[in-house]
Amino acid sequence: MKNYKNPCYRVNDKVQCLPYFYLIGVPKAGTSDLFARICHHQDVMPPLKKETQFWPRTRFKGTSYDLYLQYFHEASQKIDSLTNITENGMIYHYAITGTATPSDFWDNDLWHYDMYNTHLDEPAIITPHHLYHINPKSKFIIIFRNPAERLYSDYCYRRHTRPTATSQRFHGNVTRAIKMYTDCFSKYSIRKCVYDRNLARDAVVWIRLGLYNIYMMHWLKVFPRQQFLLLDYDEYRKDRKRSLGRVYKFLELRTPNRKQWEQILQGVAKNTNFRRKKKAGPMLEETRQLLNNFYRNSSTEIAKYFGEDRPKWSKI
């Protein structure tokens, strides 16, 4: 409906809204904290749950599209109730909603269950294609982190690795995983390797997630670059207000006043992993060098999308 900023439609006299924006990545890069603060903006109506997991996972396991829409029922009602009057006298619904499922960016492991990929050796249709079909004007936010640091944080966080997580075990897993993916890339297409569920499971550490440019390239084949806002985790931690200001501008939201900023910025970071990482010990320097070498080309390529605000880690 044209008098709604958020993509909404009417069904049986009830308004149903879809996400105006998607925070799609990446895991262990501050997405929980970022999404919580985005939703503190007065014009953003949060969904019932931060991560729906619908597009990469649950739709293949029996979750219907109607059940997915239920995550946004409450937000839809609030959006419908909040209005102002435009200069030409039109009643305008200015509020928006969004979602934050980091696996949307990279997880297409169940691609072979998609009817459009039947009998293929690698996926032709993945999450961005479905989201484009739903709303080609969607906005996407991605917060990237030094891929080596992201991987170690992820390793200390995951249920299957954290009970025995040590920097020495991490080094062994990284060495093995690098060899597995290097061997795969020498035999098959990069697309086939990064979306290979069995390979990812055998690698133990989710090393493929740090190949940011590969996933970004696949998204940009579907959506134009201007519909993406890229943030750097280090810059976000350093100056949340500046990063959030960029987010609000990207989402075309009102600039918060001083009191609103105080409410948005108060509180400690959400879903941090400091205690587990401290227990595992600092990453070994030789591990860091291995990962920097593995990710170098990818980091250099993803940095180009940042323009002048290239992350420092992309220059390693």
mmCIF file of all heavy atoms in Angstrom, residues 25-69:
data_model
loop_
_atom_site.group_PDB
_atom_site.id
_atom_site.type_symbol
_atom_site.label_atom_id
_atom_site.label_comp_id
_atom_site.label_asym_id
_atom_site.label_seq_id
_atom_site.Cartn_x
_atom_site.Cartn_y
_atom_site.Cartn_z
ATOM 1 N N GLY A 25 23.836 -10.366 8.488
ATOM 2 C CA GLY A 25 25.132 -10.960 8.840
ATOM 3 C C GLY A 25 26.061 -9.955 9.478
ATOM 4 O O GLY A 25 25.748 -8.773 9.554
ATOM 5 N N VAL A 26 27.215 -10.523 9.907
ATOM 6 C CA VAL A 26 27.549 -11.935 9.934
ATOM 7 C C VAL A 26 27.564 -12.425 11.385
ATOM 8 O O VAL A 26 27.603 -11.603 12.301
ATOM 9 C CB VAL A 26 28.934 -12.201 9.290
ATOM 10 C CG1 VAL A 26 28.904 -11.881 7.814
ATOM 11 C CG2 VAL A 26 30.055 -11.433 9.986
ATOM 12 N N PRO A 27 27.529 -13.756 11.618
ATOM 13 C CA PRO A 27 27.518 -14.261 12.989
ATOM 14 C C PRO A 27 28.757 -13.828 13.775
ATOM 15 O O PRO A 27 29.852 -13.722 13.217
ATOM 16 C CB PRO A 27 27.509 -15.786 12.792
ATOM 17 C CG PRO A 27 26.963 -15.998 11.423
ATOM 18 C CD PRO A 27 27.439 -14.828 10.619
ATOM 19 N N LYS A 28 28.579 -13.581 15.065
ATOM 20 C CA LYS A 28 29.639 -13.170 15.996
ATOM 21 C C LYS A 28 30.304 -11.868 15.552
ATOM 22 O O LYS A 28 31.516 -11.693 15.661
ATOM 23 C CB LYS A 28 30.680 -14.271 16.171
ATOM 24 C CG LYS A 28 30.121 -15.619 16.574
ATOM 25 C CD LYS A 28 29.083 -15.535 17.683
ATOM 26 C CE LYS A 28 29.594 -14.916 18.987
ATOM 27 N NZ LYS A 28 28.475 -14.736 19.979
ATOM 28 N N ALA A 29 29.486 -10.958 15.059
ATOM 29 C CA ALA A 29 29.992 -9.640 14.659
ATOM 30 C C ALA A 29 29.100 -8.535 15.221
ATOM 31 O O ALA A 29 29.012 -7.456 14.645
ATOM 32 C CB ALA A 29 30.076 -9.547 13.139
ATOM 33 N N GLY A 30 28.434 -8.822 16.334
ATOM 34 C CA GLY A 30 27.646 -7.788 16.983
ATOM 35 C C GLY A 30 26.237 -7.627 16.465
ATOM 36 O O GLY A 30 25.603 -6.598 16.712
ATOM 37 N N THR A 31 25.697 -8.633 15.772
ATOM 38 C CA THR A 31 24.367 -8.476 15.188
ATOM 39 C C THR A 31 23.274 -8.353 16.256
ATOM 40 O O THR A 31 22.310 -7.606 16.071
ATOM 41 C CB THR A 31 24.032 -9.647 14.244
ATOM 42 O OG1 THR A 31 24.154 -10.887 14.946
ATOM 43 C CG2 THR A 31 24.961 -9.653 13.035
ATOM 44 N N SER A 32 23.408 -9.094 17.352
ATOM 45 C CA SER A 32 22.389 -9.020 18.407
ATOM 46 C C SER A 32 22.343 -7.628 19.016
ATOM 47 O O SER A 32 21.266 -7.053 19.216
ATOM 48 C CB SER A 32 22.667 -10.062 19.498
ATOM 49 O OG SER A 32 22.527 -11.366 19.001
ATOM 50 N N ASP A 33 23.508 -7.084 19.301
ATOM 51 C CA ASP A 33 23.576 -5.748 19.883
ATOM 52 C C ASP A 33 23.089 -4.693 18.898
ATOM 53 O O ASP A 33 22.302 -3.809 19.241
ATOM 54 C CB ASP A 33 25.017 -5.442 20.301
ATOM 55 C CG ASP A 33 25.127 -4.134 21.067
ATOM 56 O OD1 ASP A 33 24.745 -4.110 22.249
ATOM 57 O OD2 ASP A 33 25.581 -3.134 20.478
ATOM 58 N N LEU A 34 23.512 -4.806 17.658
ATOM 59 C CA LEU A 34 23.118 -3.836 16.632
ATOM 60 C C LEU A 34 21.613 -3.859 16.416
ATOM 61 O O LEU A 34 20.959 -2.809 16.365
ATOM 62 C CB LEU A 34 23.850 -4.135 15.323
ATOM 63 C CG LEU A 34 23.454 -3.298 14.106
ATOM 64 C CD1 LEU A 34 23.694 -1.816 14.362
ATOM 65 C CD2 LEU A 34 24.229 -3.763 12.862
ATOM 66 N N PHE A 35 21.032 -5.045 16.295
ATOM 67 C CA PHE A 35 19.600 -5.138 16.033
ATOM 68 C C PHE A 35 18.793 -4.587 17.208
ATOM 69 O O PHE A 35 17.779 -3.898 17.008
ATOM 70 C CB PHE A 35 19.199 -6.585 15.746
ATOM 71 C CG PHE A 35 17.780 -6.737 15.282
ATOM 72 C CD1 PHE A 35 17.367 -6.195 14.078
ATOM 73 C CD2 PHE A 35 16.847 -7.426 16.044
ATOM 74 C CE1 PHE A 35 16.058 -6.329 13.637
ATOM 75 C CE2 PHE A 35 15.538 -7.572 15.615
ATOM 76 C CZ PHE A 35 15.136 -7.020 14.410
ATOM 77 N N ALA A 36 19.237 -4.884 18.419
ATOM 78 C CA ALA A 36 18.528 -4.379 19.599
ATOM 79 C C ALA A 36 18.505 -2.859 19.604
ATOM 80 O O ALA A 36 17.477 -2.233 19.914
ATOM 81 C CB ALA A 36 19.191 -4.907 20.867
ATOM 82 N N ARG A 37 19.615 -2.244 19.234
ATOM 83 C CA ARG A 37 19.686 -0.773 19.249
ATOM 84 C C ARG A 37 18.931 -0.166 18.064
ATOM 85 O O ARG A 37 18.374 0.924 18.176
ATOM 86 C CB ARG A 37 21.141 -0.331 19.285
ATOM 87 C CG ARG A 37 21.862 -0.772 20.566
ATOM 88 C CD ARG A 37 23.295 -0.295 20.630
ATOM 89 N NE ARG A 37 24.047 -1.023 21.645
ATOM 90 C CZ ARG A 37 24.059 -0.718 22.948
ATOM 91 N NH1 ARG A 37 23.361 0.305 23.385
ATOM 92 N NH2 ARG A 37 24.776 -1.432 23.799
ATOM 93 N N ILE A 38 18.909 -0.860 16.938
ATOM 94 C CA ILE A 38 18.080 -0.393 15.823
ATOM 95 C C ILE A 38 16.611 -0.368 16.254
ATOM 96 O O ILE A 38 15.878 0.587 15.982
ATOM 97 C CB ILE A 38 18.244 -1.300 14.590
ATOM 98 C CG1 ILE A 38 19.658 -1.171 14.000
ATOM 99 C CG2 ILE A 38 17.220 -0.945 13.515
ATOM 100 C CD1 ILE A 38 19.937 -2.145 12.869
ATOM 101 N N CYS A 39 16.205 -1.417 16.956
ATOM 102 C CA CYS A 39 14.808 -1.528 17.378
ATOM 103 C C CYS A 39 14.456 -0.569 18.513
ATOM 104 O O CYS A 39 13.277 -0.419 18.850
ATOM 105 C CB CYS A 39 14.501 -2.962 17.791
ATOM 106 S SG CYS A 39 14.484 -4.127 16.394
ATOM 107 N N HIS A 40 15.470 0.077 19.111
ATOM 108 C CA HIS A 40 15.200 1.098 20.122
ATOM 109 C C HIS A 40 14.754 2.415 19.487
ATOM 110 O O HIS A 40 14.288 3.312 20.192
ATOM 111 C CB HIS A 40 16.441 1.336 20.990
ATOM 112 C CG HIS A 40 16.579 0.335 22.093
ATOM 113 N ND1 HIS A 40 17.801 -0.131 22.532
ATOM 114 C CD2 HIS A 40 15.647 -0.301 22.846
ATOM 115 C CE1 HIS A 40 17.609 -1.004 23.497
ATOM 116 N NE2 HIS A 40 16.316 -1.121 23.709
ATOM 117 N N HIS A 41 14.930 2.522 18.174
ATOM 118 C CA HIS A 41 14.451 3.721 17.493
ATOM 119 C C HIS A 41 12.922 3.740 17.561
ATOM 120 O O HIS A 41 12.260 2.712 17.386
ATOM 121 C CB HIS A 41 14.914 3.731 16.040
ATOM 122 C CG HIS A 41 14.690 5.040 15.347
ATOM 123 N ND1 HIS A 41 13.443 5.449 14.926
ATOM 124 C CD2 HIS A 41 15.557 6.044 15.001
ATOM 125 C CE1 HIS A 41 13.541 6.631 14.348
ATOM 126 N NE2 HIS A 41 14.816 7.018 14.377
ATOM 127 N N GLN A 42 12.386 4.904 17.803
ATOM 128 C CA GLN A 42 10.946 5.033 18.031
ATOM 129 C C GLN A 42 10.092 4.612 16.836
ATOM 130 O O GLN A 42 8.905 4.277 16.993
ATOM 131 C CB GLN A 42 10.614 6.481 18.391
ATOM 132 C CG GLN A 42 10.994 7.486 17.304
ATOM 133 C CD GLN A 42 10.700 8.914 17.699
ATOM 134 O OE1 GLN A 42 9.781 9.174 18.451
ATOM 135 N NE2 GLN A 42 11.498 9.851 17.197
ATOM 136 N N ASP A 43 10.663 4.605 15.644
ATOM 137 C CA ASP A 43 9.880 4.278 14.446
ATOM 138 C C ASP A 43 10.081 2.850 13.971
ATOM 139 O O ASP A 43 9.589 2.472 12.900
ATOM 140 C CB ASP A 43 10.228 5.242 13.312
ATOM 141 C CG ASP A 43 9.880 6.683 13.644
ATOM 142 O OD1 ASP A 43 9.064 6.895 14.557
ATOM 143 O OD2 ASP A 43 10.450 7.598 12.997
ATOM 144 N N VAL A 44 10.817 2.053 14.732
ATOM 145 C CA VAL A 44 11.078 0.662 14.346
ATOM 146 C C VAL A 44 10.314 -0.279 15.273
ATOM 147 O O VAL A 44 10.508 -0.259 16.489
ATOM 148 C CB VAL A 44 12.580 0.334 14.393
ATOM 149 C CG1 VAL A 44 12.814 -1.130 14.005
ATOM 150 C CG2 VAL A 44 13.359 1.258 13.460
ATOM 151 N N MET A 45 9.457 -1.091 14.697
ATOM 152 C CA MET A 45 8.658 -2.041 15.463
ATOM 153 C C MET A 45 9.311 -3.422 15.358
ATOM 154 O O MET A 45 9.350 -4.013 14.268
ATOM 155 C CB MET A 45 7.223 -2.111 14.914
ATOM 156 C CG MET A 45 6.503 -0.756 14.843
ATOM 157 S SD MET A 45 6.314 0.015 16.455
ATOM 158 C CE MET A 45 7.368 1.471 16.281
ATOM 159 N N PRO A 46 9.822 -3.954 16.448
ATOM 160 C CA PRO A 46 10.539 -5.233 16.380
ATOM 161 C C PRO A 46 9.615 -6.411 16.100
ATOM 162 O O PRO A 46 8.426 -6.376 16.448
ATOM 163 C CB PRO A 46 11.165 -5.352 17.774
ATOM 164 C CG PRO A 46 10.288 -4.526 18.656
ATOM 165 C CD PRO A 46 9.817 -3.384 17.799
ATOM 166 N N PRO A 47 10.140 -7.468 15.482
ATOM 167 C CA PRO A 47 9.348 -8.685 15.276
ATOM 168 C C PRO A 47 9.248 -9.460 16.588
ATOM 169 O O PRO A 47 9.876 -9.090 17.589
ATOM 170 C CB PRO A 47 10.170 -9.448 14.231
ATOM 171 C CG PRO A 47 11.585 -9.046 14.528
ATOM 172 C CD PRO A 47 11.515 -7.601 14.964
ATOM 173 N N LEU A 48 8.493 -10.547 16.586
ATOM 174 C CA LEU A 48 8.368 -11.356 17.800
ATOM 175 C C LEU A 48 9.671 -12.056 18.151
ATOM 176 O O LEU A 48 9.905 -12.407 19.304
ATOM 177 C CB LEU A 48 7.258 -12.401 17.617
ATOM 178 C CG LEU A 48 5.830 -11.852 17.495
ATOM 179 C CD1 LEU A 48 4.844 -12.991 17.270
ATOM 180 C CD2 LEU A 48 5.451 -11.064 18.749
ATOM 181 N N LYS A 49 10.533 -12.258 17.151
ATOM 182 C CA LYS A 49 11.776 -12.979 17.365
ATOM 183 C C LYS A 49 12.844 -12.387 16.460
ATOM 184 O O LYS A 49 12.579 -12.085 15.297
ATOM 185 C CB LYS A 49 11.570 -14.467 17.051
ATOM 186 C CG LYS A 49 12.728 -15.369 17.396
ATOM 187 C CD LYS A 49 12.361 -16.822 17.085
ATOM 188 C CE LYS A 49 13.497 -17.782 17.446
ATOM 189 N NZ LYS A 49 13.142 -19.190 17.117
ATOM 190 N N LYS A 50 14.053 -12.236 16.982
ATOM 191 C CA LYS A 50 15.146 -11.646 16.188
ATOM 192 C C LYS A 50 15.452 -12.506 14.962
ATOM 193 O O LYS A 50 15.494 -12.015 13.837
ATOM 194 C CB LYS A 50 16.402 -11.502 17.047
ATOM 195 C CG LYS A 50 17.663 -11.154 16.258
ATOM 196 C CD LYS A 50 18.899 -11.181 17.143
ATOM 197 C CE LYS A 50 20.164 -10.991 16.306
ATOM 198 N NZ LYS A 50 20.891 -12.232 16.072
ATOM 199 N N GLU A 51 15.698 -13.795 15.176
ATOM 200 C CA GLU A 51 16.094 -14.687 14.087
ATOM 201 C C GLU A 51 14.952 -15.645 13.762
ATOM 202 O O GLU A 51 14.595 -16.486 14.579
ATOM 203 C CB GLU A 51 17.346 -15.474 14.465
ATOM 204 C CG GLU A 51 18.567 -14.595 14.740
ATOM 205 C CD GLU A 51 19.826 -15.408 14.952
ATOM 206 O OE1 GLU A 51 19.951 -16.490 14.337
ATOM 207 O OE2 GLU A 51 20.692 -14.963 15.729
ATOM 208 N N THR A 52 14.429 -15.542 12.564
ATOM 209 C CA THR A 52 13.346 -16.443 12.174
ATOM 210 C C THR A 52 13.889 -17.763 11.630
ATOM 211 O O THR A 52 13.234 -18.809 11.759
ATOM 212 C CB THR A 52 12.466 -15.804 11.097
ATOM 213 O OG1 THR A 52 13.209 -15.690 9.870
ATOM 214 C CG2 THR A 52 11.978 -14.431 11.533
ATOM 215 N N GLN A 53 15.052 -17.726 10.983
ATOM 216 C CA GLN A 53 15.670 -18.897 10.344
ATOM 217 C C GLN A 53 14.784 -19.485 9.241
ATOM 218 O O GLN A 53 15.021 -20.602 8.780
ATOM 219 C CB GLN A 53 15.988 -19.991 11.381
ATOM 220 C CG GLN A 53 16.949 -19.584 12.466
ATOM 221 C CD GLN A 53 18.342 -19.291 11.946
ATOM 222 O OE1 GLN A 53 18.679 -19.615 10.802
ATOM 223 N NE2 GLN A 53 19.178 -18.680 12.778
ATOM 224 N N PHE A 54 13.775 -18.729 8.812
ATOM 225 C CA PHE A 54 12.827 -19.276 7.840
ATOM 226 C C PHE A 54 13.467 -19.531 6.485
ATOM 227 O O PHE A 54 13.326 -20.628 5.913
ATOM 228 C CB PHE A 54 11.634 -18.330 7.682
ATOM 229 C CG PHE A 54 10.636 -18.789 6.656
ATOM 230 C CD1 PHE A 54 9.749 -19.808 6.941
ATOM 231 C CD2 PHE A 54 10.587 -18.209 5.386
ATOM 232 C CE1 PHE A 54 8.824 -20.256 5.992
ATOM 233 C CE2 PHE A 54 9.671 -18.642 4.432
ATOM 234 C CZ PHE A 54 8.784 -19.667 4.738
ATOM 235 N N TRP A 55 14.158 -18.543 5.944
ATOM 236 C CA TRP A 55 14.653 -18.663 4.568
ATOM 237 C C TRP A 55 15.763 -19.690 4.423
ATOM 238 O O TRP A 55 15.735 -20.489 3.474
ATOM 239 C CB TRP A 55 15.078 -17.299 4.030
ATOM 240 C CG TRP A 55 13.902 -16.382 3.940
ATOM 241 C CD1 TRP A 55 13.595 -15.326 4.752
ATOM 242 C CD2 TRP A 55 12.826 -16.482 3.006
ATOM 243 N NE1 TRP A 55 12.394 -14.758 4.386
ATOM 244 C CE2 TRP A 55 11.902 -15.444 3.316
ATOM 245 C CE3 TRP A 55 12.540 -17.329 1.949
ATOM 246 C CZ2 TRP A 55 10.731 -15.252 2.592
ATOM 247 C CZ3 TRP A 55 11.369 -17.134 1.216
ATOM 248 C CH2 TRP A 55 10.487 -16.102 1.547
ATOM 249 N N PRO A 56 16.741 -19.765 5.309
ATOM 250 C CA PRO A 56 17.786 -20.760 5.107
ATOM 251 C C PRO A 56 17.450 -22.151 5.627
ATOM 252 O O PRO A 56 18.057 -23.128 5.195
ATOM 253 C CB PRO A 56 18.975 -20.175 5.888
ATOM 254 C CG PRO A 56 18.351 -19.388 6.984
ATOM 255 C CD PRO A 56 17.080 -18.832 6.397
ATOM 256 N N ARG A 57 16.485 -22.266 6.571
ATOM 257 C CA ARG A 57 16.315 -23.565 7.226
ATOM 258 C C ARG A 57 14.871 -24.035 7.368
ATOM 259 O O ARG A 57 14.474 -25.043 6.772
ATOM 260 C CB ARG A 57 16.976 -23.521 8.618
ATOM 261 C CG ARG A 57 18.474 -23.252 8.540
ATOM 262 C CD ARG A 57 19.083 -23.038 9.911
ATOM 263 N NE ARG A 57 20.457 -22.536 9.790
ATOM 264 C CZ ARG A 57 21.187 -22.093 10.807
ATOM 265 N NH1 ARG A 57 20.687 -22.098 12.033
ATOM 266 N NH2 ARG A 57 22.414 -21.647 10.609
ATOM 267 N N THR A 58 14.067 -23.330 8.179
ATOM 268 C CA THR A 58 12.795 -23.924 8.619
ATOM 269 C C THR A 58 11.770 -24.101 7.512
ATOM 270 O O THR A 58 10.873 -24.935 7.634
ATOM 271 C CB THR A 58 12.174 -23.114 9.771
ATOM 272 O OG1 THR A 58 11.873 -21.782 9.314
ATOM 273 C CG2 THR A 58 13.125 -23.037 10.955
ATOM 274 N N ARG A 59 11.868 -23.337 6.431
ATOM 275 C CA ARG A 59 10.904 -23.540 5.333
ATOM 276 C C ARG A 59 11.096 -24.900 4.680
ATOM 277 O O ARG A 59 10.185 -25.427 4.040
ATOM 278 C CB ARG A 59 11.016 -22.421 4.298
ATOM 279 C CG ARG A 59 12.329 -22.385 3.519
ATOM 280 C CD ARG A 59 12.417 -21.108 2.684
ATOM 281 N NE ARG A 59 13.707 -20.963 2.035
ATOM 282 C CZ ARG A 59 13.932 -21.235 0.756
ATOM 283 N NH1 ARG A 59 12.940 -21.679 -0.006
ATOM 284 N NH2 ARG A 59 15.120 -21.061 0.246
ATOM 285 N N PHE A 60 12.284 -25.481 4.845
ATOM 286 C CA PHE A 60 12.539 -26.815 4.304
ATOM 287 C C PHE A 60 12.129 -27.907 5.283
ATOM 288 O O PHE A 60 12.211 -29.091 4.958
ATOM 289 C CB PHE A 60 14.024 -26.980 3.976
ATOM 290 C CG PHE A 60 14.522 -26.023 2.923
ATOM 291 C CD1 PHE A 60 15.452 -25.052 3.240
ATOM 292 C CD2 PHE A 60 14.055 -26.086 1.624
ATOM 293 C CE1 PHE A 60 15.917 -24.165 2.281
ATOM 294 C CE2 PHE A 60 14.509 -25.204 0.656
ATOM 295 C CZ PHE A 60 15.447 -24.244 0.987
ATOM 296 N N LYS A 61 11.731 -27.492 6.497
ATOM 297 C CA LYS A 61 11.409 -28.466 7.542
ATOM 298 C C LYS A 61 9.951 -28.383 7.978
ATOM 299 O O LYS A 61 9.605 -28.773 9.100
ATOM 300 C CB LYS A 61 12.335 -28.257 8.739
ATOM 301 C CG LYS A 61 13.810 -28.441 8.393
ATOM 302 C CD LYS A 61 14.707 -28.174 9.594
ATOM 303 C CE LYS A 61 16.173 -28.360 9.235
ATOM 304 N NZ LYS A 61 17.064 -28.103 10.400
ATOM 305 N N GLY A 62 9.101 -27.848 7.114
ATOM 306 C CA GLY A 62 7.677 -27.864 7.388
ATOM 307 C C GLY A 62 7.067 -26.561 7.847
ATOM 308 O O GLY A 62 5.841 -26.474 7.994
ATOM 309 N N THR A 63 7.881 -25.526 8.103
ATOM 310 C CA THR A 63 7.329 -24.241 8.515
ATOM 311 C C THR A 63 6.699 -23.546 7.308
ATOM 312 O O THR A 63 7.357 -23.333 6.295
ATOM 313 C CB THR A 63 8.417 -23.332 9.113
ATOM 314 O OG1 THR A 63 8.968 -23.973 10.260
ATOM 315 C CG2 THR A 63 7.838 -21.988 9.524
ATOM 316 N N SER A 64 5.446 -23.177 7.430
ATOM 317 C CA SER A 64 4.742 -22.545 6.314
ATOM 318 C C SER A 64 5.042 -21.054 6.259
ATOM 319 O O SER A 64 5.482 -20.452 7.245
ATOM 320 C CB SER A 64 3.230 -22.754 6.457
ATOM 321 O OG SER A 64 2.737 -22.007 7.565
ATOM 322 N N TYR A 65 4.750 -20.471 5.119
ATOM 323 C CA TYR A 65 4.930 -19.027 4.959
ATOM 324 C C TYR A 65 4.003 -18.257 5.901
ATOM 325 O O TYR A 65 4.358 -17.197 6.419
ATOM 326 C CB TYR A 65 4.677 -18.630 3.506
ATOM 327 C CG TYR A 65 4.963 -17.188 3.189
ATOM 328 C CD1 TYR A 65 6.254 -16.688 3.266
ATOM 329 C CD2 TYR A 65 3.936 -16.330 2.804
ATOM 330 C CE1 TYR A 65 6.519 -15.351 2.970
ATOM 331 C CE2 TYR A 65 4.189 -14.998 2.505
ATOM 332 C CZ TYR A 65 5.488 -14.520 2.587
ATOM 333 O OH TYR A 65 5.744 -13.198 2.302
ATOM 334 N N ASP A 66 2.815 -18.799 6.155
ATOM 335 C CA ASP A 66 1.884 -18.156 7.083
ATOM 336 C C ASP A 66 2.461 -18.092 8.493
ATOM 337 O O ASP A 66 2.270 -17.104 9.205
ATOM 338 C CB ASP A 66 0.549 -18.902 7.097
ATOM 339 C CG ASP A 66 -0.273 -18.651 5.841
ATOM 340 O OD1 ASP A 66 -0.021 -17.621 5.178
ATOM 341 O OD2 ASP A 66 -1.139 -19.476 5.518
ATOM 342 N N LEU A 67 3.148 -19.147 8.896
ATOM 343 C CA LEU A 67 3.785 -19.138 10.211
ATOM 344 C C LEU A 67 4.909 -18.108 10.261
ATOM 345 O O LEU A 67 5.123 -17.441 11.284
ATOM 346 C CB LEU A 67 4.328 -20.527 10.548
ATOM 347 C CG LEU A 67 3.290 -21.590 10.909
ATOM 348 C CD1 LEU A 67 3.956 -22.944 11.127
ATOM 349 C CD2 LEU A 67 2.523 -21.185 12.160
ATOM 350 N N TYR A 68 5.620 -17.970 9.161
ATOM 351 C CA TYR A 68 6.670 -16.948 9.078
ATOM 352 C C TYR A 68 6.076 -15.555 9.261
ATOM 353 O O TYR A 68 6.615 -14.713 9.984
ATOM 354 C CB TYR A 68 7.372 -17.063 7.729
ATOM 355 C CG TYR A 68 8.304 -15.918 7.387
ATOM 356 C CD1 TYR A 68 9.506 -15.734 8.064
ATOM 357 C CD2 TYR A 68 7.977 -15.017 6.364
ATOM 358 C CE1 TYR A 68 10.358 -14.693 7.746
ATOM 359 C CE2 TYR A 68 8.822 -13.976 6.035
ATOM 360 C CZ TYR A 68 10.012 -13.820 6.735
ATOM 361 O OH TYR A 68 10.851 -12.778 6.412
ATOM 362 N N LEU A 69 4.941 -15.311 8.640
ATOM 363 C CA LEU A 69 4.295 -13.999 8.728
ATOM 364 C C LEU A 69 3.854 -13.659 10.153
ATOM 365 O O LEU A 69 3.759 -12.490 10.519
ATOM 366 C CB LEU A 69 3.095 -13.937 7.794
ATOM 367 C CG LEU A 69 3.392 -13.955 6.288
ATOM 368 C CD1 LEU A 69 2.091 -13.949 5.495
ATOM 369 C CD2 LEU A 69 4.257 -12.776 5.883
#
